[in-house]
Amino acid sequence: MKAIPCERCGKLVPPHDLTHFTTDGGPLLLCTQCFNADVAERVGIDDFDNHPLDPISIATVDGVVHHFHFQTRLLGDMVTLEAFELKEGEPSGYQFQLIGEPGEDRFIQLGRLVKRIRGALANKYLEDSKYGLQVKDMEVKGKIEADTSDEADVFGTRLPMLVIDGREVSWEQFGEMLMTFEGFQFKLQIVDSSDDLES
């Protein structure tokens, strides 16, 4: 993972910890701490908790341990707290987001987000069978991302990549799983990434 210097404080940070930020002096590449400090100053928040949160590890229902990193971003009158796994230095796998108030205690927000993570990891929607990867119990929850592989754009059409149980599932793989239920009905519900999918 290549570290990149913040253009404000000079600290070397991983790419996912940088934000492109436009100031009066032009665009800057800022680390999360400098970005939050700049926004706090601009909106007049003197007591914003800008301390980074340490990573934590949480196990799924089948005992697989996942390591989550956190990132807090002050966005004016709201704060986003994100939890994500890393793959080759980039956010991947399970990813969660919580939106809160700037003045709310950061550890209360962290507690709400960890509760959401634990709830998600307590369920498994896919299973490996003799027929390959299959939907386990007639229900699937996950996240929609972009499939950036060359195969995904072979016909000039962008296809989604689904992240289910923290693992990437191509649109073609998911289609094959659905064929197990040929003739069944289905319901597709889209939920914002900051909402609790488990409720």
Side-chain angles (χ1 to χ4, degrees), residues 22-36:
T22 301
T23 67
D24 298 336
L28 288 174
L29 201 56
L30 300 182
C31 70
T32 300
Q33 265 54 59
C34 287
F35 172 81
N36 288 340

Side-chain angles (χ1 to χ4, degrees), residues 19-93:
T19 301
H20 292 273
F21 188 59
T22 301
T23 67
D24 298 336
L28 288 174
L29 201 56
L30 300 182
C31 70
T32 300
Q33 265 54 59
C34 287
F35 172 81
N36 288 340
D38 198 303
V39 173
E41 183 180 345
R42 288 169 187 268
V43 299
I45 298 176
D46 298 324
D47 57 350
F48 180 70
D49 183 356
N50 199 16
H51 294 94
L53 297 169
D54 292 330
I56 64 170
S57 299
I58 301 177
T60 60
V61 67
D62 54 357
V64 178
V65 177
H66 294 262
H67 307 285
F68 291 94
H69 299 260
F70 296 98
Q71 189 167 50
T72 305
R73 279 204 176 93
L74 176 61
L75 303 173
D77 61 350
M78 69 177 185
V79 169
T80 65
L81 177 58
E82 298 178 10
F84 50 87
E85 296 182 277
L86 290 176
K87 181 180 178 182
E88 297 177 0
E90 293 295 327
S92 181

Side-chain angles (χ1 to χ4, degrees), residues 148-165:
T148 57
S149 66
D150 293 337
E151 294 82 8
D153 203 24
V154 69
F155 298 111
T157 304
R158 294 182 66 223
L159 294 176
M161 173 70 74
L162 305 179
V163 179
I164 306 169
D165 295 344

Side-chain angles (χ1 to χ4, degrees), residues 87 126 133-135 140 143-153 158-179:
K87 181 180 178 182
L126 303 179
L133 197 58
Q134 296 292 319
V135 174
V140 177
K143 186 176 181 188
I144 304 167
E145 295 188 347
D147 189 340
T148 57
S149 66
D150 293 337
E151 294 82 8
D153 203 24
R158 294 182 66 223
L159 294 176
M161 173 70 74
L162 305 179
V163 179
I164 306 169
D165 295 344
R167 64 198 288 181
E168 292 184 345
V169 177
S170 73
W171 197 239
E172 290 80 6
Q173 286 176 304
F174 191 62
E176 289 176 11
M177 288 185 228
L178 291 181
M179 287 310 298

